[in-house]
Amino acid sequence: MSLAKPAMRGLLGKRLRFHLPIAFALSLVAAAAFKYGVTEPRKQAYADFYKQYDTTKEFNNMRDAGVFESVRTTGE
Amino acid sequence: MLHLTTGRVGCLLSKQAVVALTGSGARMSSHGHHEVSDSVDMSQPMYWDRLDTPLPDRPWKDVLDSTDKSLKQKEKGPWTALSKEEKIALYRLKFNLTYPEMKRPSHEWKTVIGGMFIVFGITGLVVFWQCHYVYPPQPPTFDEEWQAKQLQRMLDMRTNPIEGLSSQWDYKNKQWK
């Protein structure tokens, strides 16, 4: 009932050969997930917002609300 | 040397703490050297019960009486000739505790959790006293009315209108989306 001699060399190499491709793949997945989960929707949100953004209308709304210091509210 | 300092510490701490400090450390055998109980001769091979270092420098019982000696003689022959009780007796000669005995759970966690809660309680009292006697008066910016006016101003200014605050406010119906 003699046991097999355990692996004495190449342990780090074996570990790296196993773990590095996985690490690389997971990093790519994380980057892709962030790109398509966060940055692309954000770019789209900005694009959609400015597509129908009326600068003058928003300015007048803000002015009527009284948040400006250099522009008086309409009707003053 | 470890045993010497823990012996001295023993005066300050409870017996339980001293045992805990030395529990996984060196211990004297039952039929061992006749020394002062607090000190151990560190120049001699030591015995220990440790999970991580299994084979101590010396067996548990190294002063053997005649029955033990005859058993040790029998051990020199084929082990298949040994009965189960003899094997166990040989183990107990060599070792003090078995692995399950070493790993036995203790009631220490209750002390730890209890002490933790006591400290939380004391800290809570200190914090409460501090809130009452140390803190300066709260700034007006924390009042409900002020906070409401602040939020209204932020919405008026259209802060973060694309993905943030103002994007969640419905300006037409004057409510949250």
Side-chain angles (χ1 to χ4, degrees):
Chain A
M1 206 195 38
S2 59
L3 300 165
K5 184 174 173 182
M8 307 289 267
R9 290 159 185 255
L11 299 164
L12 178 64
K14 181 171 167 210
R15 181 188 166 81
L16 287 177
R17 257 175 282 120
F18 180 76
H19 281 97
L20 274 178
I22 294 174
F24 199 73
L26 282 178
S27 311
L28 287 178
V29 166
F34 192 80
K35 183 183 171 78
Y36 293 109
V38 177
T39 59
E40 286 303 315
R42 187 168 287 165
K43 280 167 29 181
Q44 196 55 42
Y46 272 73
D48 293 338
F49 179 81
Y50 283 111
K51 214 164 276 173
Q52 27 87 344
Y53 187 66
D54 183 4
T55 334
T56 324
K57 175 164 154 270
E58 291 297 322
F59 169 73
N60 282 323
N61 284 337
M62 283 195 248
R63 175 204 209 171
D64 293 333
V67 292
F68 290 127
E69 289 180 10
S70 47
V71 185
R72 278 171 297 211
T73 54
T74 50
E76 240 182 31
Chain B
M1 206 179 352
L2 168 73
H3 215 126
L4 283 167
T5 51
T6 52
R8 227 142 284 203
V9 169
C11 318
L12 302 167
L13 299 177
S14 70
K15 180 169 172 262
Q16 186 194 18
V18 174
V19 169
L21 283 170
T22 60
S24 60
R27 285 231 229 106
M28 313 236 285
S29 86
S30 41
H31 302 265
H33 325 272
H34 298 290
E35 291 190 14
V36 181
S37 55
D38 268 356
S39 66
V40 159
D41 186 356
M42 300 291 282
S43 64
Q44 300 294 323
M46 277 169 39
Y47 178 81
W48 58 76
D49 283 308
R50 284 186 67 110
L51 296 172
D52 55 354
T53 322
L55 300 171
D57 291 339
R58 68 162 174 85
W60 173 234
K61 272 216 242 170
D62 44 6
V63 178
L64 304 171
D65 61 15
S66 52
T67 42
D68 297 333
K69 284 205 179 107
S70 59
L71 193 56
K72 282 304 232 183
Q73 273 305 114
K74 197 173 176 195
E75 194 192 16
K76 293 188 183 165
W79 288 343
T80 48
L82 294 168
S83 74
K84 187 169 156 219
E85 292 79 19
E86 283 173 333
K87 287 181 197 167
I88 292 176
L90 281 167
Y91 181 91
R92 289 293 176 181
L93 283 180
K94 193 117 192 252
F95 299 103
N96 179 23
L97 297 177
T98 64
Y99 263 74
E101 286 167 12
M102 275 194 265
K103 285 188 191 177
R104 70 188 179 279
S106 75
H107 296 280
E108 189 188 3
W109 67 272
K110 297 176 197 169
T111 314
V112 170
I113 300 287
M116 226 169 78
F117 285 146
I118 289 172
V119 171
F120 286 168
I122 295 171
T123 311
L125 288 172
V126 169
V127 167
F128 178 74
W129 177 88
Q130 187 178 265
C131 286
H132 191 71
Y133 285 106
V134 177
Y135 285 5
Q138 210 182 44
T141 52
F142 282 85
D143 303 335
E144 279 289 328
E145 207 188 288
W146 189 289
Q147 291 273 310
K149 283 200 236 162
Q150 187 170 322
L151 178 58
Q152 182 58 55
R153 191 176 138 81
M154 283 170 77
L155 290 171
D156 291 339
M157 286 196 284
R158 309 295 194 272
T159 45
N160 294 330
I162 305 170
E163 279 192 328
L165 181 70
S166 303
S167 68
Q168 306 297 319
W169 179 256
D170 185 351
Y171 282 95
K172 249 185 208 87
N173 302 322
K174 304 255 166 88
Q175 63 186 12
W176 292 110
K177 286 190 190 158

